[in-house]
């Protein structure tokens, strides 16, 4: 069995690379360790709510933009609905809030109206970041052309060259004097980094201009909709997507990447499988790749990575609210609450490591748009702030849970101070830490933007597609062009284009890997008014019965409103026969409706067993 391309990881860059290559007629196999695709672009279900893991708002969806063209080519525009948020963000204060509007003219006017003494610097800032975005999207894609024009870069791309030489802090300090103006401009710095004096102006200005240019957008129903579409697109084009499969080896022969070996992450009794291919795409975190390689490649990659720091991680508190939030004074989609000890740009980074009672944070009210995350009379939201894995490691489970709850109570109290009455309206909350992000994405440090987006790893200096081993490409937030939704999707697309240009292809057979975990329903029994029992074929190699759990994922659910097609369920069969049974209780969910309406012969995929 052979594939043209095997992709390690189902994050947005890996999904985009796979969908693009499938569109070009290549036979693609994508392997993802989690039981759902998307990486940070995922959702999960809690009570009445769909909980968005990573997306607050994304940039880049201007008409005829690179991202819009990619989405059109991959039919995203036909299957995924994007909702424009009302404004970029609001900076809350005890005096007058500052609302950062969409549109360069409106944004410039709003800033000058608040800070008339900084008119010159504000105009310069807006012109500069607009130039960064325009020039970045007009760069030649041909590396040879890029080398030829390199001496002319300062003349042809003056804003880009300047951006790659400055940090956010160094540029703002040079052109703007008022510290409050600077702080309003970097209110959302958590979306790109943690320190204005190390964050490259390139990685700040490029997406910042995108948000102003055409507004930020949210995906109706959550980012899982985008991830699921790209995975489905790969399969419809003849590719294969295997979830819950972990790669433990990249095979190299004659100095080239020629295949991978993987195993089932959930079934410890599963055997290792080896697939040969023309080329491999590492969508996983680059620091994890040396463990997959033989020498000398493993050591070579370690040396190339060197001491490059990882980006920060995030702490999030996910909310489900009983009522809409307007009545509590929540006026904006994205609300920035600045820490009381932040008085200047130099205070931003120290604040992120200081007292939880004083740290700056962002609160997003998703129901300011048609987010599709909550019932019509309720609301979903999230607190988001920078955090670091080192502050959460080495704790016992009891101490870890206690620290999460302590931090949650501090932030809930601060949210209540800002929006009186909101605390009593909370129906559900849950804390995610850097440790959570590391667990589900395998990103070292729980890093959400790959390597830190510094001037040392800016633009062309960032790791490119095939810098290590022939036929081994890199597409992720850790590689070129960088992190974030827009950066990751663009990186996956560019990797696919480079692979197509390199023409490292050979004929493949028509055989595809058969997922032995896909089984058919054998029997449906209604035990009582509140419980149905489903009996499925037992997957090959599945060794689990009473007392163990498995993930039941319906392949074609009959109902999907405000729900996901899977549940973690206890196994109620003894494990000795050829069927596996689950009992599903009525809870008013679409998943239960799908279980009631499922037909004999319908398929599901079963991940497990787990103790």
């Amino acid at each position: 069995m052979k594939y043209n391309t095997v992709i390690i990881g189902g994050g947005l860059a890996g999904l985009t690379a796979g969908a693009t290559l499938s569109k070009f007629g290549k036979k693609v196999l994508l392997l993802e360790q989690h039981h759902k695709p998307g990486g940070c672009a995922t959702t999960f279900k809690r009570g009445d709510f769909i909980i968005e893991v990573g997306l607050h708002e994304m940039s880049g969806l201007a008409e005829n933009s690179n991202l819009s063209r990619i989405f059109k080519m991959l039919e995203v525009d036909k299957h995924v609905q994007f909702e424009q948020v009302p404004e970029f963000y609001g900076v809350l204060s005890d005096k007058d809030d500052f609302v950062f509007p969409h549109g360069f003219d409106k944004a410039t006017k709003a800033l000058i109206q608040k800070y008339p003494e900084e008119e010159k610097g504000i105009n310069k800032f807006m012109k500069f970041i607009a130039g960064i975005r325009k020039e970045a999207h007009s760069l030649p894609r041909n590396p040879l052309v890029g080398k030829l024009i390199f001496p002319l870069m300062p003349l042809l791309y003056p804003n880009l060259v300047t951006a790659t030489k400055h940090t956010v802090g160094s540029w703002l300090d040079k052109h703007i004097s008022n510290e409050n103006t600077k702080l309003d401009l970097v209110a959302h710095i958590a979306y790109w980094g943690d320190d204005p004096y190390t964050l490259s102006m390139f990685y700040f200005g490029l997406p910042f201009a995108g948000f102003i240019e055409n507004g930020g957008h949210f995906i109706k129903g959550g980012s899982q909709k985008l991830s699921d579409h790209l995975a489905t697109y790969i399969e419809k084009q003849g590719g294969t997507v295997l979830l819950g499969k972990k790669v433990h080896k990249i095979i190299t022969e004659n100095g080239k990447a020629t295949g991978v070996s993987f195993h089932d992450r959930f079934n410890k009794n599963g055997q290792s499988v080896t697939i040969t291919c023309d080329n491999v795409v590492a969508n996983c975190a680059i620091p994890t790749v040396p463990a997959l390689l033989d020498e000398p490649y493993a050591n070579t990659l370690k040396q190339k990575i060197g001491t490059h720091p990882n980006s920060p991680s995030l702490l999030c508190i996910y909310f489900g609210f009983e009522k809409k939030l307007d009545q509590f004074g929540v006026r904006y989609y994205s609300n920035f609450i600045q820490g009381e000890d932040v008085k200047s740009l130099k205070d931003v980074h120290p604040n992120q490591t200081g007292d939880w009672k004083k740290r700056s944070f962002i609160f997003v009210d998703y129901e300011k748009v048609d987010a599709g995350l909550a019932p019509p009379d309720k609301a979903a939201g999230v607190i988001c702030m920078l955090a670091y894995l080192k502050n959460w490691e080495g704790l016992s489970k009891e101490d870890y849970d206690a620290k999460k709850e302590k931090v949650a109570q501090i932030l809930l109290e601060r949210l209540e101070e800002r929006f009186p009455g909101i605390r009593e309206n909370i129906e559900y909350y849950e804390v995610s830490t850097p440790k959570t992000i590391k667990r589900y994405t395998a990103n070292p440090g729980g890093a959400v933007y790959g390597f830190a987006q510094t001037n040392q790893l800016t633009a062309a200096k960032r790791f490119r597609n095939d810098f290590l081993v022939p036929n081994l490409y890199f597409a992720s937030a850790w590689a070129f062009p960088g992190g974030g939704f827009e950066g990751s999707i663009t990186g996956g697309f560019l990797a696919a284009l480079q692979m197509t240009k390199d023409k490292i292809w050979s004929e493949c057979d028509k055989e595809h890997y058969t997922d032995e975990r896909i089984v058919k329903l054998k029997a449906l029994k209604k035990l009582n008014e509140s419980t149905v029992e489903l009996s499925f074929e037992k997957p090959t190699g599945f060794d689990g019965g009473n007392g163990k759990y498995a993930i039941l994922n319906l392949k074609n659910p009959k109902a999907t409103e405000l729900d996901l097609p899977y549940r973690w369920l206890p196994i109620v069969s003894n494990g000795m026969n050829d069927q596996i049974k689950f009992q599903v209780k009525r809870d008013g969910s679409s998943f239960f409706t799908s279980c009631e309406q499922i037909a004999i012969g319908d398929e599901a995929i079963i991940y497990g067993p787990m103790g």
Side-chain angles (χ1 to χ4, degrees):
M1 188 184 304
K2 179 186 176 185
Y3 283 81
N4 289 128
T5 300
V6 176
I7 300 173
I8 307 171
L12 285 177
L15 290 165
T16 304
T20 303
L21 291 170
S22 297
K23 172 78 173 182
F24 293 162
K26 307 306 176 187
K27 184 182 175 186
V28 172
L29 170 64
L30 185 145
L31 303 165
E32 164 58 40
Q33 63 158 355
H34 199 6
H35 66 84
K36 63 180 84 170
C40 288
T42 53
T43 60
F44 58 93
K45 172 78 171 175
R46 291 290 187 271
D48 286 343
F49 306 96
I50 297 294
I51 305 302
E52 171 59 51
V53 169
L55 178 62
H56 303 137
E57 52 185 305
M58 64 182 294
S59 60
L61 288 175
E63 187 176 355
N64 293 321
S65 67
N66 290 340
L67 191 61
S68 294
R69 289 197 292 267
I70 292 171
F71 281 172
K72 185 174 182 179
M73 184 187 78
L74 301 179
E75 300 180 6
V76 173
D77 58 325
K78 296 180 181 178
H79 299 276
V80 179
Q81 184 174 333
F82 295 91
E83 298 288 332
Q84 188 179 63
V85 304
E87 64 283 314
F88 189 0
Y89 56 78
V91 180
L92 278 55
S93 71
D94 295 332
K95 298 178 182 179
D96 294 325
D97 297 346
F98 173 69
V99 181
F100 207 120
H102 297 148
F104 278 99
D105 290 342
K106 291 181 179 179
T108 302
K109 182 178 180 180
L111 283 163
I112 293 174
Q113 184 174 351
K114 184 174 183 181
Y115 304 108
E117 74 280 8
E118 293 289 356
E119 180 174 358
K120 182 179 179 180
I122 290 168
N123 281 319
K124 193 174 186 68
F125 174 81
M126 289 297 184
K127 183 178 179 181
F128 179 44
I129 62 170
I132 293 173
R133 190 165 185 88
K134 181 179 180 180
E135 291 172 10
H137 288 165
S138 64
L139 284 170
R141 292 177 179 172
N142 188 310
L144 178 59
V145 175
K147 290 180 181 180
L148 291 174
I149 69 168
F150 183 76
L152 301 175
M153 285 291 289
L155 179 63
L156 298 176
Y157 303 96
N159 295 293
L160 272 184
V161 172
T162 300
T164 57
K165 293 179 178 179
H166 271 285
T167 66
V168 177
S170 69
W171 194 95
L172 290 178
D173 284 347
K174 182 177 180 180
H175 298 285
I176 294 176
S177 300
N178 188 305
E179 291 296 330
N180 288 326
T181 311
K182 301 176 195 176
L183 292 173
D184 281 354
L185 289 172
V186 302
H188 272 30
I189 193 174
Y191 289 168
W192 305 288
D194 60 351
D195 186 348
Y197 291 98
T198 60
L199 175 62
S200 170
M201 191 64 188
F202 172 85
Y203 280 115
F204 177 79
L206 183 62
F208 200 94
F211 281 116
I212 298 175
E213 180 183 31
N214 200 54
H217 289 78
F218 185 74
I219 298 170
K220 185 174 182 178
S223 59
Q224 191 73 63
K225 296 289 186 182
L226 173 60
S227 302
D228 287 346
H229 168 75
L230 292 172
T232 300
Y233 187 88
I234 292 171
E235 294 179 325
K236 285 183 177 180
Q237 298 295 320
T240 306
V241 175
L242 296 179
L243 306 175
K245 299 294 188 181
K246 187 172 179 63
V247 172
H248 56 263
K249 183 76 171 178
I250 296 174
I251 299 167
T252 54
E253 294 180 359
N254 300 319
K256 298 179 180 179
T258 59
V260 304
S261 295
F262 64 92
H263 61 274
D264 194 293
R265 181 191 166 206
F266 297 101
N267 188 347
K268 295 181 180 179
N269 296 322
Q271 296 181 340
S272 175
V273 176
T274 298
I275 300 289
T276 60
C277 58
D278 295 323
N279 42 54
V280 176
V281 176
N283 174 231
C284 49
I286 289 179
T288 68
V289 175
L292 308 179
L293 290 167
D294 289 325
E295 297 297 352
Y297 309 113
N299 190 55
T300 300
L301 181 54
K302 288 179 183 178
Q303 291 178 352
K304 286 182 177 291
I305 294 172
T307 57
H308 289 303
N310 298 336
S311 69
S313 188
L314 296 173
L315 180 137
C316 296
I317 305 183
Y318 303 113
F319 294 102
F321 295 99
E322 295 176 351
K323 303 175 183 176
K324 300 291 188 182
L325 303 183
D326 304 63
Q327 60 189 291
F328 306 109
V330 181
R331 288 186 281 179
Y332 316 117
Y333 176 88
S334 187
N335 305 265
F336 178 69
I337 291 89
Q338 186 166 278
E340 63 182 58
D341 58 352
V342 179
K343 307 298 183 183
S344 72
L345 206 57
K346 289 182 171 61
D347 298 329
V348 170
H349 181 55
N351 171 266
Q352 308 297 347
T353 59
D355 188 342
W356 292 99
K357 295 179 181 179
K358 298 180 180 180
R359 291 194 193 188
S360 302
F361 67 88
I362 297 167
F363 175 65
V364 174
D365 175 10
Y366 286 115
E367 300 313 309
K368 289 291 186 286
V369 297
D370 185 11
L373 302 179
D377 56 337
K378 298 185 178 185
V382 64
I383 281 178
C384 171
M385 62 197 311
L386 291 162
Y388 304 88
L389 181 63
K390 64 183 180 182
N391 297 323
W392 295 92
E393 286 184 310
L395 302 174
S396 66
K397 184 180 186 306
E398 292 75 16
D399 289 343
Y400 176 70
D401 290 342
K403 183 173 182 177
K404 285 204 301 182
E405 185 58 24
K406 180 181 178 180
V407 172
Q409 291 305 317
I410 290 171
L411 294 174
L412 290 179
E413 183 177 343
R414 293 180 63 192
L415 195 66
E416 174 69 17
E417 289 174 357
R418 178 59 61 178
F419 305 114
I422 195 171
R423 191 168 186 171
E424 292 184 359
N425 188 47
I426 297 172
E427 181 175 322
Y428 149 87
Y429 72 88
E430 184 172 349
V431 180
S432 165
T433 73
K435 195 172 180 178
T436 315
I437 296 172
K438 182 182 179 182
R439 175 187 174 191
Y440 286 104
T441 67
N443 282 346
V448 288
Y449 310 122
F451 290 114
Q453 300 187 130
T454 63
N455 281 335
Q456 288 69 42
L457 278 180
T458 293
K461 298 176 185 177
R462 210 160 177 90
F463 293 103
R464 300 298 294 232
N465 296 321
D466 55 349
F467 66 88
L468 182 67
V469 184
N471 302 6
L472 175 59
Y473 295 79
F474 292 83
S476 68
W478 300 81
F480 177 84
F485 273 58
E486 184 182 7
S488 296
I489 292 166
T490 302
F493 180 70
L494 292 177
L497 290 186
Q498 184 64 48
M499 295 165 73
T500 303
K501 180 184 176 184
D502 292 346
K503 298 181 180 178
I504 308 172
W505 312 110
S506 62
E507 290 296 321
C508 288
D509 52 47
K510 295 183 179 181
E511 186 180 5
H512 285 69
Y513 182 89
T514 300
D515 193 344
E516 70 284 354
R517 302 164 302 175
I518 298 177
V519 293
K520 294 182 179 180
L521 182 72
K522 303 295 289 185
L524 169 64
K525 183 186 296 185
K526 186 175 181 180
L527 300 182
N528 51 53
E529 288 300 317
S530 62
T531 308
V532 295
E533 183 176 87
L534 307 176
S535 299
F536 288 91
E537 300 168 334
K538 187 163 69 174
T540 303
F542 190 94
D543 183 19
N546 287 318
K548 293 193 175 183
Y549 283 75
I551 301 170
L552 174 65
N553 192 322
L554 306 178
K555 291 287 286 182
N556 293 292
K558 302 296 190 294
T560 59
E561 184 177 1
L562 278 176
D563 213 337
L564 300 169
Y566 69 88
R567 290 290 190 276
W568 291 72
L569 296 171
I571 301 168
V572 297
S573 49
N574 60 24
M576 300 300 292
N577 55 29
D578 60 354
Q579 294 186 13
I580 179 172
K581 295 181 180 181
F582 302 97
Q583 290 179 1
V584 184
K585 296 187 179 298
R586 183 183 300 277
D587 58 1
S589 69
S590 293
F591 181 81
F592 181 82
T593 300
S594 294
C595 290
E596 275 190 313
Q597 298 178 1
I598 193 171
I600 302 300
D602 282 356
E603 292 183 332
I605 183 167
I606 297 176
Y607 303 100
M610 289 151 280

